């Protein structure tokens, strides 16, 4: 029996995103078009649009659709931005960003996941996504500054190199808190300083790296 993935995406938008307050029509349209099941690791393809995070192996997850949507909406993308994503993971968030921004630079510390996401981007024709393997907390200095930065892993604080690589009037979104409980933080960098806004509670895998939870996820 063939699965109607477009119907599942439309139901996801109608039942999970709009009722929770996602309003940006560009975000809703991107979420209705990007094939989440392709990035879900090949497990339970029909369940790829369920209201939950899913394991993609290597101790990592593909975020709940609502979390992808709200983080994307908080970036306030218009289509001209250069975006840095920390934590490529499955590649799904990057594919959504690719629909909404001019260029996406994404960093993943796990080689297997970076290679897998790169292959999916090629399959989908996401030519404006650039993947690097390494410590995401160091950012991508040679491509800085970035108009937007999104961190899809939990950190105790904002990594200093990422704030330095954020352009003036740029926006950074990150889950900040403890290892087991965080809150989405939106930072707008102005010429006069930083504007902070806290949003929904969340739980993400830890941001591993020099300016995150350290380089060993089991000892920090």
């Amino acid at each position: 029996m063939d699965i109607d993935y477009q119907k599942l995406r439309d139901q996801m938008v109608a039942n999970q995103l709009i009722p929770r307050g996602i309003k940006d029509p560009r975000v809703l349209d991107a979420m209705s078009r990007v094939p989440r099941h392709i990035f879900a690791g090949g497990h339970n393809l029909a369940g790829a649009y369920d209201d939950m995070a899913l394991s993609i192996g290597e101790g990592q997850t593909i975020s709940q659709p609502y979390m992808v949507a709200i983080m994307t909406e908080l970036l306030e993308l218009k289509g001209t931005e250069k975006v840095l994503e920390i934590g490529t993971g499955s590649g799904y968030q990057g594919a959504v960003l690719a629909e909404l921004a001019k260029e996406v630079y994404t960093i993943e510390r796990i080689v297997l996941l970076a290679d897998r996401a790169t292959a999916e981007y090629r399959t989908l024709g996401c030519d404006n996504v650039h993947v690097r393997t390494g410590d995401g907390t160091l950012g991508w200095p040679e491509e800085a500054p970035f108009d937007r930065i999104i961190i899809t892993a939990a950190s105790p604080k904002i990594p200093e190199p990422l704030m330095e690589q954020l352009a003036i009037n740029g926006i950074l979104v990150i889950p900040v808190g403890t290892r087991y409980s965080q809150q989405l933080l939106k930072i707008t960098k102005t010429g006069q300083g930083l504007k902070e806004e806290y949003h929904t509670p969340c739980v993400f895998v830890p941001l591993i790296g020099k300016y995150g939870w350290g380089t060993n996820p089991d000892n920090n």
Side-chain angles (χ1 to χ4, degrees):
M1 177 177 168
D2 292 335
I3 300 172
D4 188 342
Y5 290 116
Q6 185 59 61
K7 181 179 180 180
L8 292 175
R9 285 196 292 276
D10 292 342
Q11 290 174 341
M12 176 188 73
V13 170
N15 300 332
Q16 300 176 38
L17 307 186
I18 294 174
R20 287 184 172 128
I22 303 299
K23 297 182 176 64
D24 187 331
R26 296 184 71 242
V27 172
L28 294 172
D29 182 59
M31 297 288 288
S32 74
R33 286 187 283 114
V34 176
R36 189 170 190 259
H37 62 280
I38 287 179
F39 298 97
H43 309 295
N44 185 20
L45 294 182
Y49 297 94
D50 289 348
D51 185 20
M52 64 180 69
L54 300 170
S55 172
I56 56 170
E58 305 298 315
Q60 305 298 301
T61 60
I62 178 173
S63 294
Q64 171 193 24
Y66 169 69
M67 196 56 59
V68 173
I70 189 171
M71 292 185 78
T72 304
E73 186 170 70
L74 289 173
L75 291 175
E76 300 180 17
L77 296 168
K78 307 301 181 186
T80 59
E81 298 85 1
K82 186 178 186 180
V83 180
L84 174 64
E85 178 193 26
I86 307 303
T88 311
S90 69
Y92 177 62
Q93 174 73 78
V96 172
L97 295 172
E99 295 284 326
L100 300 168
K102 183 177 181 180
E103 298 289 336
V104 178
Y105 292 80
T106 181
I107 306 174
E108 172 56 53
R109 69 183 181 88
I110 301 172
V111 175
L112 177 63
L113 296 182
D115 289 347
R116 187 187 299 164
T118 298
E120 300 298 1
Y121 292 144
R122 288 173 179 164
T123 298
L124 293 174
C126 298
D127 298 328
N128 60 335
V129 182
H130 315 278
V131 183
R132 165 182 279 187
T133 304
D135 183 349
T137 69
L138 302 177
W140 201 320
E142 57 268 40
E143 290 294 341
F146 296 95
D147 303 302
R148 303 288 189 270
I149 299 178
I150 178 173
I151 299 93
T152 58
S155 180
K157 61 185 184 302
I158 303 170
E160 294 175 15
L162 301 185
M163 283 306 308
E164 293 171 357
Q165 293 172 36
L166 183 64
I168 296 296
N169 298 319
I171 294 172
L172 179 149
V173 176
I174 181 173
V176 172
T178 69
R179 289 289 293 265
Y180 307 105
S181 178
Q182 306 95 39
Q183 196 168 3
L184 283 186
L185 173 60
K186 174 183 176 181
I187 296 280
T188 303
K189 184 178 183 180
T190 73
Q192 291 71 46
L194 303 177
K195 177 185 176 183
E196 297 186 357
E197 299 175 15
Y198 283 92
H199 293 268
T200 186
C202 53
V203 179
F204 279 79
V205 296
L207 177 65
I208 306 302
K210 182 176 179 180
Y211 293 90
W213 286 105
T215 56
N216 188 332
D218 298 320
N219 293 334
N220 291 274

